[in-house]
Amino acid sequence: MEYRYRPSSHTFALERKNLAQALATIKKRIQALLDNKGTPVSGYNDITVYQAVARGQQIWYEEWDRHGHNPYYGRIEYVDRTEGEEPTVVYVSKAQRSLEFEDANGRLVDIIPWNAPVARMFITHRSVPGQWDLDRVTRIGIDNLEVVEVADTFRGPMLPPLPDSEGENAAEQLFEKRGGGKLSDIVATLQEEQYDLIVQPLRQNLVIQGGPGSGKTEIALHRIVHLLHSAALSPQQILYLGPSGPFLRYVSDILPSLDAQDVVLHDLVSWLSRELGVPVRKKSASSDDALLYDEVFTQRLERWVDHYAANLAKNLGDLRMAFDVETVSGRHQGTLELSSAQVYETFATSSRYSLRERWRLLRHRWDQMVETALAGAESRQLTSYQKLARQRFDHWQEQVPRVETLQDLMAIYPVARQEAGIEAPFHRESVWALADALALLFLAGRFLGHSQHYALVVLDEAQDVPAVGFALAEQLVSTNGSLTLVGDPFQHLNPYTEVENWSEVANRLHAQHVELLDNYRSGAQIVHLANAAHPAGIKQVPRRGGGIIHPPVKVSESKVAEAVMQEVVRGKREYLGQVAVIFANKAPRDLLERFQRLKPETIEMAFEPENPEPYDVIMATVEYAKGLEFDMVILMAETEEAFETTGAGAYQLFTGISRAREEVMMMGLRHLPKLYGRCYRQALRMTKFGSSALR
């Protein structure tokens, strides 16, 4: 329960005044910075210090200029035991820069970032023993520069009871997302489990497994924001790889809204195409795709690299050089020898390095042997022999083929692939499949090393990524960095990505594994329907009420376009957000054309647009829609088999249903989808709602 203050109450009036004070302070500070633009910062004579201070002021201006319309969303009142018994008041903001202002009672109070240690009490409603004693937590809703809601979500036992004239107790609605169905920042409704994941130390690897609407993508993005500021990372130190361009455009507003303006989100396929300089697609036609996606493939590639290094050592033979020098202690003669056994030892014991680095280690070992053997030699002789030694090493090294560039590696990749057990033919000049592209870049790390490493690598929707992709992500993490893996193995749509035990994945990555079971996206009835369709029977917990589910409807081919468009128009009339028409596998071209002819001019509609944002209605397959969310979803069973098979079809149905926030319905073209019908009846039993509750 929570206590909500009436707009006529004294507390509500105080919060209106406090907001006015905060807004006035922001405006005054921004105006002062604008007035001082171009003038020296007083007290800073050193140009480096001056530039740093000036840049800090610019960042402060940029952030509070963005957050000036909504400077905070909550208030905490607590006693800091290290400073005395007087209560401290702070406001909690999405901004990453603090602000001090004078409230309506004449006190100086701070607005603090959402990820500051004190702000955690806003979520936990718990004191920190020996440090902070929590008295009160208040949620404050601000819209259009006006306070629209004031509600105490926690009141300590020492606070006096509130009179009925101030407000009333009400059920919490912290999880109610605004209409619109678009992923957004979750700062104001963060839960303790989510917060704890976001603020994990930089070096902590994470495997975050969560069902639809669990907030896993938002957690990953908020972790980026937190580490940008707490670990002082630059955007160039972060690599985020998502499933598709449309998905990234869908979530792209989250980071700027939380003061992470310059972070670039990458579509995995496009990123691979750029890194390799070759076109890449998600799927391939190989008969060995299952092995390409398996962890065994990665292990075999590793063994092939070791085998390749062993053959290099064997084929190189011994490296020898005779020397004859004068030293202060007399003439010294001898032969320097780097045996193939020593070469193999260097290659084998340095397996954590790329082959390029192992060659450098080998050259360094040879140089040290020369330097040790010629210690005390006259400088002219030493220089001469060092030059000769380098020439001998280069000539000896040229006896075996070298992999110096990515093009060299592409030339031998078919051999690596074949020796790893892939029998299907491979043509390196064609479009590269996702698994092969990841394998090539993984091998590039083993042979050439990577030109850049990252403090944080995030792999989102990882359930459809081959195991070699996880290995590549590990390679790309810098020594003091970490990997965050996000996904739901039960939403995999690639038939070759078998559902794994993700706790075992976490063990392999030395990561903390967390499974999120709450659904903050969909109404309860929709969650129950999705639970009934879940391939493994795992049940999500709905955190929102409501939701509308419909029994399956069979429509004739001649009437299907009219029936769908009728529901689309109704959905746009009733909801703020987008409507989606989702097909299982393939959308018939003639049906899409009929949809377009029938749609009203006022509705913007497109099939799988590169940027889904401008459209009222999205028509797509389940694969495109994965990761997106819509207020209303119309599932289209375009064939008798659509959504009906027990393998990938079950994942398709579960994923398709869980795209909906408010309403979901199924239309079968010439038949009734039996699987959906069973799930629908089970959902009704689970919710104990009859069909009279449905529209």
Side-chain angles (χ1 to χ4, degrees), residues 70-132:
N70 193 358
Y72 47 78
Y73 59 85
R75 178 183 185 274
I76 306 172
E77 190 171 324
Y78 65 100
V79 174
D80 188 335
R81 291 301 179 194
T82 64
E83 296 183 0
E85 298 295 325
E86 284 297 314
T88 300
V89 174
V90 294
Y91 286 83
V92 186
S93 172
K94 296 177 184 178
Q96 284 291 319
R97 295 297 183 279
S98 297
L99 170 71
E100 185 182 67
F101 73 97
E102 186 178 293
D103 71 4
N105 293 321
R107 296 175 301 185
L108 289 175
V109 299
D110 288 319
I111 302 175
I112 64 172
W114 60 271
N115 51 345
V118 168
R120 192 176 192 276
M121 291 191 292
F122 182 84
I123 300 164
T124 64
H125 291 181
R126 291 199 303 270
S127 301
V128 177
Q131 187 172 8
W132 301 316

Side-chain angles (χ1 to χ4, degrees), residues 547-574:
I548 299 169
I549 60 176
H550 294 265
V553 177
K554 180 173 67 174
V555 290
S556 66
E557 190 167 354
S558 60
K559 299 290 186 181
V560 62
E562 290 80 0
V564 170
M565 287 311 302
Q566 181 179 344
E567 297 297 338
V568 164
V569 171
R570 178 182 64 80
K572 281 310 301 170
R573 183 175 64 248
E574 296 185 10

Side-chain angles (χ1 to χ4, degrees), residues 72 91 98 125 196 203 232 280 289 308 355 360 412 457 565 608:
Y72 47 78
Y91 286 83
S98 297
H125 291 181
D196 287 344
R203 297 190 67 176
V280 176
D289 274 352
Y308 185 93
L355 277 177
R360 289 188 184 129
I412 64 170
V457 176
M565 287 311 302
E608 298 191 349

Side-chain angles (χ1 to χ4, degrees), residues 12 17 62 95 128 141 150 182 198 209 213 247 250 269 276 278 282 315-316 392 420 425 472 511 530 583 587 606:
F12 211 106
K17 291 180 182 178
E62 291 169 353
V128 177
V150 179
K182 190 177 189 297
I198 289 167
Q209 174 183 347
F247 175 83
Y250 211 65
V269 169
L276 299 176
V278 296
K282 283 188 177 179
N315 295 329
L316 278 166
R392 289 282 178 87
L472 171 62
F583 297 83

